[in-house]
Amino acid sequence: MGALIGKKVVQLAAVLLVVTFFSFLLIHLLPGDPAATIIPLGTDAQRTQLRKDVGLDKPLVSQYTRWLGKFVRGDFGRYYRQFGGEPVRKRLSQALPVSLQLLVYAEVLALVIAIPLGILAAYRAGTWVDRFLSTGAFASLAIPDFVLALVLIFYLGVKLKWFPVLGYVHFGQSPTEHFKSMFLPAFSLALAQAAVYMRLLRSDMIATLQEDYILMARSQGLPTWRILLRHALRPSSFSLLTVAGISVGTLIGGAIVIEAIFTLPGVGLTIFQAISERQYIAVQACVAVIGCGYVVVNFVVDLLYTALDPRVRHAA
Amino acid sequence: MRNDAAAVGELLDPVGRSDFDGPLLDVRDLTTHFQTPRGIVRAVDGVSFTLEAGRTLGIVGESGSGKTVLSRSILGLSPRRQLVDPQGQILFEGRDLRPMDEHELREVRGRQISMIFQDPMTALNPVMKVGRQIMESLRVHFDMSKADARERAIDLLGQVGIPSPGVRVDEYPHQLSGGMRQRVMIAIALSCEPKLLIADEPTTALDVTVQAQILDLLGRLQSERNMAVVLISHDLEVVGGRADDIAVMYAGRIVEMGPAAELFKATRMPYTDALLRSVPNIEDPPHTRLLAIGGRPPDLVSPPPGCRFNPRCPRAGFRCGVQEPPLAPDDDNVHHIYRCWYPVGGPTGPEAEAAEARPRRVEH
Amino acid sequence: MPPDLPTDVAVAPEVIAVVAGAPSRRTFGVGAWLAVGWLVLVIGLALLAPLLPIPKPSEIIDHGALRDAKPSLSHLLGGDDNSYDLFSRIVWGARNSLAVGFFAVAIGGTVGGFLGLIAGYYRGRIETLITAVLDIMLAFPALVLALALTTFLGHSLFYVSLALGIISTPILARITRANTLTWSQREFVTAARAQGAKNRRIIVREVLPNVVPAMASIALLAVAVVIVAEAGLSLLGAGLKVDVPSWGNIITFGRSGLTNGQAPHIVFSGSGAIFFTVLSLNYLGDVVRARFDVKEGALT
């Protein structure tokens, strides 16, 4: 068990190195002189400052170690503007909580939708209920999250005015308004995820319900809901958990677009604005932060998986 | 058919119902047919038997003979959506289980009648501690508190012979050996003191050395609790020493049934005979050839006409392929019934038919 | 001992019921024909766009009179915020969106297919290495990787296709590897090897043809993913250049008409085109997968 975790930690470190190295390299993909591209309207003094900040004159490897050293200390560079420019870290530290909230809400919402429906579809496998749910899930998978977002904005926001179409309300400011401002973005992200989860849970659950231990539970006279929830759900949810972990990547990608659409001040909106303002250093920092965050999430999911399945837990 | 031990057991039985004096289980003309894409599978086709409290009925047959479906039909565990026109009665203490809905059946399952299954590896939930699996039934049927149920679970684990039950209660099935797992399954099945236990191939998945231990444990618990047992196996030997009565199933029907000793001593049905001869006997001289039954069990979608065993029967005559023999009592013992035109001990089909045909001329 | 068959009849009906309960995508039914029909229509329109009797995509109609106009007979989908004919934008947009989808998956299929075949056939160290590289590529959320590449490389059709091709590579490589693994262990491969056939020949002649259905089914899904990603990049300003008609750009520039409630049809047209195309591709991908009994596991 300990050795297993140790091995995983080494893997984690290796992947983090590669992810940060790639993020670092991005700046060198820019055509021409990076300094000139990053500050097209700047003065020579500003460019010199930038070269010094990034260390463009040094060899690649020492540039990277310099950049990585700053990155782990939380120095993500700064915005380059005509007059000064704030550190990227400041923006990111405000943006990260909003993005995390959105991701957590979306993930929770997706599971809340998917688990009962998946159980129902499996329990009623082959009936019209199952067919209806499966068809619905299939159609949901073809709706890109931003399309759903725009449709919901138009009908529920613009037409019915049930939800605000843009902006973010802090939880401390007004919890109800906070959830109202987060519902459409979270739901837009959640629906396709829910469809994936539901289909997965359905098929795993159908397999589980064929197991002898379910028959055993039935032969002991346990009520159906107890069998479904306590006996069948957990052994059916391993691939669900794995996929929920993997699909955090899809969610993060989706969340960036969704934040841009709803102008939620998260990392996505930060990236979006940085792209349109050509703040390459900021884009680079965001990419590195998201990449590392994603790798860590996958690592945690991997550990959780181990905790959920006692057979894996006791194997090592 | 009852012996003194059973009668004494009944007197001692604290939960036995005194207002009912019929057989504990009385199955009458049970049919379980399934609708499948290939057609209707006649898995159980008109089976009747009775079982008194505290006694053991062995049901023997090959895979596909319908014995497993029969056992599941008793508790209404067959897939309902595929059932076609279920017939017959399953009288348990006089109440018919057949027309009961899931809700009513739940009161019976586990509480009155329990089951144990062939493979404890697959019949125990791999991601639940064994203690919790025992506690589930107790909490549902007796409304016990968690603490009480846990205490009772530890107690039960001890009763089924698991060492240091206080530790094992918090372990997962994969941490136990095969024999231990089967003991856990028995503990679950017996947790609510059922009056009837259906054991579907309880030792088939176990090592030979462990098999006897488990069967002995079952026997001990049975007599302690005066519990009736339906012991299902493909192996006549397993059933032989343990059952009071034995029913042999073939292709969804009972083909021979009677007191165990009688069945072994005066086997009538050629299928039973073949089953007996396919078991190695310690007293046989070395290199005695075991008799394998040729052919395969019949397709239950379209069973053969006449006696269902006739295509594989070494004794079959012309009549066997045309007319199905009734389940009739033996001349020497009315409790011994079988389905055969030309039973073992008499002339074979061709001999009998030839003898019968000799006076007249048979036209083909 | 009597013959002991592994399954008793008791389990059979339930299993059959489950199979029967699955959506009947095993046959090439109405749904599949609708999907093919839609794709033929879209691809046909896209290819024939210059020949069709429709306005040029960047032709301002009637000095701006068509701005945000509702659909009509003369302009099937109305006009957009630049007073361009929206139907023409959708058709020309299909050219670019589908081109990106096709090129990206062609890149991903070639590179990923190659890597997958090599890894699955030769196993050993090379497999470990390739798998590690693929895992690293999957270490980034796909859209983030794509937007990073386009932001720093540029927004031409080539770079956008390349970026999206890179994100589809690991997906296609994984499915190819998994299927190569199973096919490489089949008797006919062993037989070919025993006859002294060269590895390259075995891969191309014996393994590849069997792996193609799996790749094709995933490639169809990958095209759908890429088309959606292209639109996502556009919405972030990281997709094709703003003046290039693409479904993503149509949605991006129709947003103001949607949020002010004046011209939602712009966004809906672009979204509808994406939705039906993605639905068709997903459906056909499933049909192919069911037909050839492709093992899943690589795509999530």
Side-chain angles (χ1 to χ4, degrees), chain A residues 213-283:
Chain A
Y213 56 83
I214 298 301
L215 196 65
M216 175 82 191
R218 283 184 65 202
S219 81
Q220 282 303 104
L222 304 187
T224 305
W225 64 266
R226 206 178 174 107
I227 294 176
L228 289 175
L229 295 181
R230 291 169 69 117
H231 290 251
L233 182 58
R234 194 147 93 135
S236 312
S237 54
F238 297 126
S239 33
L240 177 66
L241 187 78
T242 318
V243 169
I246 295 169
S247 57
V248 169
T250 322
L251 272 182
I252 291 174
I256 293 174
V257 183
I258 292 295
E259 284 176 13
I261 289 178
F262 286 93
T263 55
L264 289 180
V267 181
L269 191 66
T270 311
I271 276 206
F272 170 63
Q273 289 167 345
I275 290 173
S276 51
E277 293 167 23
R278 306 198 181 283
Q279 294 290 349
Y280 292 105
I281 298 290
V283 175

Side-chain angles (χ1 to χ4, degrees), chain A residues 150-163:
Chain A
L150 292 166
V151 171
L152 291 176
I153 284 180
F154 183 67
Y155 287 106
L156 302 186
V158 176
K159 287 265 164 179
L160 294 171
K161 300 199 179 355
W162 288 354
F163 296 97

Side-chain angles (χ1 to χ4, degrees), chain C residues 187-278:
Chain C
E187 295 79 8
F188 58 84
V189 174
T190 322
R193 213 176 274 155
Q195 284 173 5
K198 288 214 175 69
N199 281 332
R200 190 188 299 171
R201 192 185 156 82
I202 296 175
I203 292 175
V204 175
R205 286 290 184 83
E206 312 285 350
V207 178
L208 185 60
N210 289 303
V211 176
V212 162
M215 289 177 70
S217 74
I218 301 299
L220 285 169
L221 304 187
V223 172
V225 170
V226 168
I227 288 175
V228 171
E230 183 276 323
L233 288 181
S234 292
L235 280 160
L236 291 171
L240 293 171
K241 290 195 191 73
V242 292
D243 53 339
V244 175
S246 81
W247 290 344
N249 277 339
I250 291 169
I251 294 176
T252 306
F253 295 99
R255 273 179 59 202
S256 54
L258 180 100
T259 38
N260 65 24
Q262 294 306 306
H265 66 279
I266 304 173
V267 164
F268 289 163
S269 301
S271 302
I274 292 180
F275 173 71
F276 286 113
T277 307
V278 170

